[in-house]
Each structure stands twice: as C-alpha cells, then as structure tokens.
Amino acid sequence: MSNVKVGLVQMSCTADKQQNLQKAIVKVREAAAKGAQIVCLQELFTSLYFCDVEDYDNFKLAESIPGPSTDELQKVAAELNVVIIASLFEKRAQGVYHNTTAVLDADGSYLGKYRKMHIPDDPGFYEKFYFTPGDLGYKVFKTKYGKVGVLICWDQWYPEAARITALMGADILFYPTAIGWATTQDEATNVEQYNAWQTIQRSHAVANGIHVVSVNRVGEEAGVKFWGGSFFANPFGAIIHQTSHDQEEVVVQELDFDKSDYYRSHWPFLRDRRIDSYQPITKRLLDED
C-alpha cells in the first residue's frame, strides 16, 4: 500500500498494569475510529517507568512475549483490522529480561518482536539493571499495510540502527519511547534536550528517505516529567504533526510511503554511499595505529 493512516498513542500511566493495558486498548480503538491502520504505543506502556530505581521487585512486571498482553492485543488487532506495535517488558527466562516490542498484524497474528539493542544507564534511567541487550538484530516486519521497522527509545540516538533498519526495506520507522526532563531542570536545558531528541530522529528520516514516527509518554513520575512531544516526520525530516508536552493524545496521520522514492531519487544519499570505506565504523574508537 502507498497511502497508510498511522496512529500514535501518547498517554500517562499508573502503577496498575491491567489498568494501563485497558487504557491503551481504549486509545487504540479511538485511533481506529479515526481511520488508523497502524497504531504505535509508547515504550513500556503497561507500567510506570520503573527504571528510575534499581528494585528487584520490578522484575515481577515482566511477562513472556507472546504472552498475556499480546494475547489481548491480538484480539483487538483482529477486531479492528489494525496493526499494533506494542512495547513490553519481556521475561525471556529466569534472570534474563529484555525491553521488547511486539508487532501484531491486522488479522491478529503475531509477527514477531524486536529487542532493544542500545541500553542506557543514567540517573533515573537505570535500564542496564533490568534489560539484557537485544540479540535478535535489527528487524523489519511485513504487515498488511507495509513493512514496519521498529527501534526503541535509546536506539534513536544511533544513526547506524536507523540505517540498517532502512536498508532492510522498512517503509516506516517507529520509535516507542519513554524520555523526560528532570523536574529540577531549567527551561533552557529542557528546550535544548527536546530539540536534540527531535533533531536526531528527523535526521534519520533525511538520511534514509523514510517516514519516522516517535511515540513518547506524558506525566510526572519520580522526579521526571515525561515530555510527550510525539511526532511524525516525512522522508525529508519535515514535521507533519507534533503533540503537546503534557496532554494525552491520540493522533492519526495519512502517510504516503511512495514519498520515499521521490526523496531518495531527488536526494540520492543511498545511491552515493561509499560502502567500501565504512569498515572503520565497526571499531569503538580509531585511536590506535
């Protein structure tokens, strides 16, 4: 398909996992009622952002994938004839957990999952305590409405991840996200951080000639104000729509996946790549003879 209606759900969460899941389902229904064919939920939407602390009890939030949440969402996907992109805390085995996004097709089938590759560890974002780095590689999922590429939050700062996913044939790139400002920060720092976050993702759209959709949460949790600001960017990085920083929103935009051919033809960055010269990128630093 060329023209596809894509929805994002930007919402706040509580400590009640089932309540969050049901809230997300209501908002998926809202997006479908607006015509959405693909709906992306934010990162770890079934809980508060628990990585603000290192607490062993939080491992109880994890579940298998496929599992209870995907089972419920698959029924909704089939009923509404929509693709659902669902970011969940995965329990792979005893003591092995991942930050994982499942992709469910419009007929309710489970297409597979992507495990977050880049894992941060910063004050208030202690993800290395919880998540084993992804080992499935980068992924593209062939859905009813197009080939969907999925990366997760901290992955958004790495052009290599976006490039590889685009080279695998993605029609669109989604970033389920949970990022915010420390409530003690000044406004100038807030603006600078948000602009950097949006700019790096818009640059992925430009460099790869692909639509980018970033879906963040809102609400204040443990000294962090999640900044929302979810957005759609076209294949040349132009903002099609940006949400507020503090309101729950369900937004649907019609995107023309054929625009990638137009931008890639007029600005042929992929054509002119010097793949013979990129071997050094596989090194951590180029500081040795």
Side-chain angles (χ1 to χ4, degrees), residues 40-53:
C40 185
L41 299 164
Q42 68 207 30
E43 184 183 20
L44 302 171
F45 70 92
T46 63
S47 68
L48 296 171
Y49 181 76
F50 52 86
C51 306
D52 60 309
V53 294

Side-chain angles (χ1 to χ4, degrees), residues 206-207 209 236 261-272:
V206 176
F236 211 49
D261 187 53
Y262 171 84
Y263 285 105
R264 288 176 176 178
S265 298
H266 286 72
W267 297 80
F269 305 133
L270 297 186
R271 182 196 68 188
D272 296 338

